[in-house]
Amino acid sequence: MQKQKFQQMLLLLFTVCVSSACASDNGSQADVVPAAPVYSDADMWYEGGRDSADCAVDVFYVTPTCVWDWPGADGAACHYMNVRDSAQRAATDASALLACRLFGNDCRFLAPYYRQITMNSWFEPASEIERRYGVAHTDVVRAFRYYMERRNGGRPFILAGHSQGAKAVVELLKRTLTEAERERMVAAYVFGFSISEAELAAYPALRPATGADDTGVVICYNSVSDTAAVSPLFAGNAVCINPLNWRTDTTYAPAAENVGSVFFSADGRADTLRHTVGARMDLRTRTLVIDGLRDDDYYIPSIAELFPRGNYHVQEINLYFLNVQANLRHRIEAFTRR
């Protein structure tokens, strides 16, 4: 039953119908790029969680990669999400809803639709990934600036993102947040991405978390059942914290410390696996090595080149859901005391 529910969720996340036209915008001449989102349009935001009058903190969330290449009007492959296409929005909404369930009990939740690069793009050489990602990040920066200038109102906030969205959060911290904005950032949750030693040295805003309640820090981790399954995308990662015991050493956190992994079926029902997944950190790869699950139940052949059997990239939020949710409250309380 658990495997069936998970497969339904994957179908929703990774299958997208395409029906809308694509037009040249920015990017290279060879690119077919959809029109840019306009963030003064309320329809360009996924919103949820608590009302701003009823809570003190916002979450600005950036969704992971949820769409594949799709044919534009002239048949050429489009490597970017069309934010106005209903099927593509439905795919990203599934991820936004997961994050909203994580953060929304305690915070107001806002996630911009943006021209994320497609899953196909991540199979390209690093230089091409970065070139394409430039379009996506332009949208994220514009959305963040609009949020700060029109929606934030001086409130404390959390940055969060998964996968491509986590990359966006890292880049925002490196180049976009002002010093005054960093002072109001409770924390940044970077689910399923990497930060290198060179980035840590060059960008003081990338300050890794060292415990359960430090603030203004980056919470970053990746999960595998065996280090042989570490994604080639994350070679050279230097940042990791164990979300079961909030340690940055190799101390093993047994399944008893996992309050609950939560998986949602396509119809929205929650299946909570309590005290199932344990984890320890591998210092060489700065990756979490987990136990307690069957790799075959979470293996996705279509992305195996990037995330081989035993890699739990897609499940980074689900695996430690209730522990991260509790940690969110701890960090907000610590920020408030500060």
Side-chain angles (χ1 to χ4, degrees), residues 6-334:
F6 180 69
Q7 288 173 334
Q8 288 174 332
M9 181 187 74
L10 290 181
L11 183 63
L12 184 61
L13 285 174
F14 288 98
T15 302
V16 73
C17 298
V18 293
S19 59
S20 55
C22 212
S24 292
D25 187 0
N26 49 6
S28 76
Q29 284 189 333
D31 277 340
V32 183
V33 184
V38 177
Y39 291 112
S40 58
D41 182 352
D43 194 45
M44 289 297 104
W45 296 86
Y46 182 104
E47 298 191 39
R50 294 175 63 180
D51 186 88
S52 60
D54 193 37
C55 65
V57 178
D58 292 344
V59 172
F60 181 93
Y61 182 76
V62 190
T63 52
T65 309
C66 296
V67 302
W68 294 81
D69 279 1
W70 54 282
D74 61 357
C78 191
H79 309 306
Y80 309 90
M81 176 185 177
N82 182 346
V83 297
R84 295 169 179 83
D85 181 84
S86 59
Q88 294 184 35
R89 286 168 69 100
T92 60
D93 284 353
S95 289
L97 176 59
L98 173 64
C100 188
R101 283 170 165 153
L102 178 69
F103 293 108
N105 289 343
D106 301 277
C107 304
R108 181 174 67 157
F109 181 89
L110 303 96
Y113 293 98
Y114 69 108
R115 291 172 295 178
Q116 60 173 246
I117 61 174
T118 59
M119 184 61 70
N120 307 70
S121 299
W122 294 98
F123 294 89
E124 298 291 334
S127 59
E128 180 64 5
I129 293 172
E130 291 302 316
R131 187 191 68 78
R132 293 183 188 179
Y133 177 74
V135 173
H137 198 67
T138 295
D139 289 354
V140 173
V141 171
R142 289 192 303 108
F144 181 74
R145 290 266 62 93
Y146 184 86
Y147 160 71
M148 275 295 167
E149 294 165 10
R150 304 294 182 89
R151 305 292 303 275
N152 175 263
R155 293 159 56 84
F157 65 94
I158 290 167
L159 290 180
H162 180 199
S163 193
Q164 181 172 175
K167 175 178 173 60
V169 169
V170 171
E171 294 302 322
L172 285 174
L173 286 168
K174 285 162 59 173
R175 298 184 171 89
T176 301
L177 268 71
T178 66
E179 185 175 346
E181 288 165 351
R182 289 198 298 270
E183 285 294 314
R184 285 191 281 118
M185 188 186 79
V186 176
Y189 286 84
V190 175
F191 302 119
F193 205 70
S194 61
I195 301 172
S196 69
E197 290 283 5
E199 287 174 308
L200 291 177
Y203 301 100
L206 297 176
R207 186 160 60 91
T210 58
D213 60 0
D214 41 356
T215 61
V217 295
V218 177
I219 297 97
C220 179
Y221 59 79
N222 295 278
S223 306
V224 297
S225 62
D226 187 285
T227 55
V230 171
S231 173
L233 290 174
F234 304 143
N237 179 47
V239 179
C240 184
I241 192 167
N242 189 331
L244 298 184
N245 58 17
W246 301 104
R247 298 180 66 100
T248 57
D249 58 20
T250 59
T251 301
Y252 176 66
E257 294 186 43
N258 189 327
V259 182
S261 303
V262 181
F263 296 90
F264 295 91
S265 62
D267 60 7
R269 289 179 297 177
D271 189 357
T272 302
L273 306 180
R274 296 191 183 278
H275 310 304
T276 301
V277 177
R280 65 170 177 82
M281 189 196 305
D282 175 68
L283 287 180
R284 181 181 63 84
T285 59
R286 293 287 171 176
T287 303
L288 295 178
V289 180
I290 70 167
D291 54 38
L293 299 176
R294 291 183 66 251
D295 291 346
D296 286 350
D297 290 348
Y298 302 89
Y299 174 59
I300 307 171
S302 60
I303 57 174
E305 183 179 332
L306 300 178
F307 305 109
R309 192 186 312 272
N311 188 294
Y312 284 80
H313 177 76
V314 175
Q315 299 84 30
E316 296 292 9
I317 293 177
N318 305 83
L319 290 175
Y320 321 101
F321 192 96
L322 295 182
N323 290 70
V324 173
Q325 197 169 65
N327 179 252
L328 165 72
R329 298 180 187 122
H330 291 324
R331 293 192 195 273
I332 291 174
E333 290 167 2

